[in-house]
Amino acid sequence: MNLVFLGPPGSGKGTQAIRLAEKVGLVHLSTGDVLRAAVKVGTELGKKAEGFMTRGELVPDDLIICLIEEKVASGDLKSGFILDGFPRTMPQAESLTDMFTKNKIGLDKAILLDVGDAEILKRLKGRAEIEGRADDTEDVIKNRLEVYRKQTQPIEDYYRGQSILVAIEGEGTPDAIFERILKVAG
Ligand code: ADP
């Protein structure tokens, strides 16, 4: 099974994607995690990405598409995967479709975790206090939400058009949300 997880920052997609990957045996690939690790170690990619990330902007498409191309070429995703945080722009979504076509990979579902802005702001402010992530300050959070609505939300329609979008109510307890996801992807 090959899945893409979509949802605004703070929608819980990372948490749920990890849980589902473990339960059904899929590779979990989070572009946010890969980028944060690259920044920490100080690789070329990390140096290029850091400024965009602290401002709550998206890292340029060419950098991130390159990263995903490497993963697809490595064969690591062969036995099923969950992409978390990619695609995030229409050019990324279209390149992903091309990569999949070339490598004969089928995308089964795009799972959207639907959460309203008020709930998102509340959750991210809570996470900022606990984890101290550099991009969880109030202004940056608002910017990330705006970026999501403008640049990422159009992807929902793109996958809806391919009849693979599944929207899941993303408010409630983590367990309740996981149950909803298992019903469509378990
Ligand atoms: P969140 O979903 O909470 O915003 P992520 O961990 O998915 O957090 O991403 C953190 C940051 O990493 C983003 O704000 C962005 O700067 C960068 N990033 C992650 N994935 C992508 C992507 N596909 N394209 C561009 N930038 C990305």
Side-chain angles (χ1 to χ4, degrees):
M1 186 163 51
N2 301 322
L3 304 171
V4 160
F5 266 46
L6 290 174
S11 57
K13 67 181 174 350
T15 312
Q16 297 291 347
I18 290 171
R19 218 166 141 176
L20 182 66
E22 272 172 15
K23 170 116 186 172
V24 300
L26 298 171
V27 169
H28 169 241
L29 177 60
S30 155
T31 45
D33 287 351
V34 172
L35 290 171
R36 274 184 293 277
V39 170
K40 210 168 163 191
V41 179
T43 63
E44 264 327 289
L45 172 68
K47 283 182 203 148
K48 288 183 189 151
E50 188 168 17
F52 297 102
M53 294 173 76
T54 28
R55 290 189 297 274
E57 292 165 14
L58 294 181
V59 170
D61 283 337
D62 53 337
L63 287 181
I64 205 93
I65 289 169
C66 224
L67 192 145
I68 299 292
E69 271 170 352
E70 280 169 20
K71 284 282 173 192
V72 171
S74 75
D76 288 358
L77 306 178
K78 251 209 224 113
S79 51
F81 58 82
I82 302 179
L83 290 184
D84 164 10
F86 185 94
R88 238 180 171 97
T89 63
M90 279 307 292
Q92 290 181 17
E94 283 161 356
S95 330
L96 188 66
T97 302
D98 289 346
M99 275 182 247
F100 284 170
T101 309
K102 274 190 205 123
N103 291 277
K104 298 193 170 56
I105 294 172
L107 183 61
D108 297 297
K109 286 188 177 78
I111 296 187
L112 166 69
L113 286 183
D114 230 344
V115 183
D117 282 6
E119 173 69 16
I120 295 281
L121 285 172
K122 199 173 86 191
R123 288 186 192 176
L124 289 180
K125 279 187 216 158
R127 184 167 85 183
E129 280 157 27
I130 298 163
E131 292 180 15
R133 236 174 74 168
D135 59 354
D136 274 346
T137 61
E138 189 158 353
D139 281 353
V140 176
I141 289 170
K142 287 207 173 121
N143 194 31
R144 279 158 60 213
L145 256 182
E146 214 168 289
V147 166
Y148 182 83
R149 301 292 175 215
K150 271 200 203 124
Q151 304 199 55
T152 310
Q153 211 153 21
I155 297 178
E156 296 173 15
D157 281 333
Y158 178 73
Y159 287 131
R160 201 173 275 122
Q162 297 181 7
S163 308
I164 54 170
L165 188 85
V166 183
I168 305 255
E169 166 60 59
E171 298 191 30
T173 66
D175 284 349
I177 297 163
F178 188 58
E179 286 305 315
R180 288 174 208 147
I181 294 174
L182 278 181
K183 275 197 193 126
V184 298

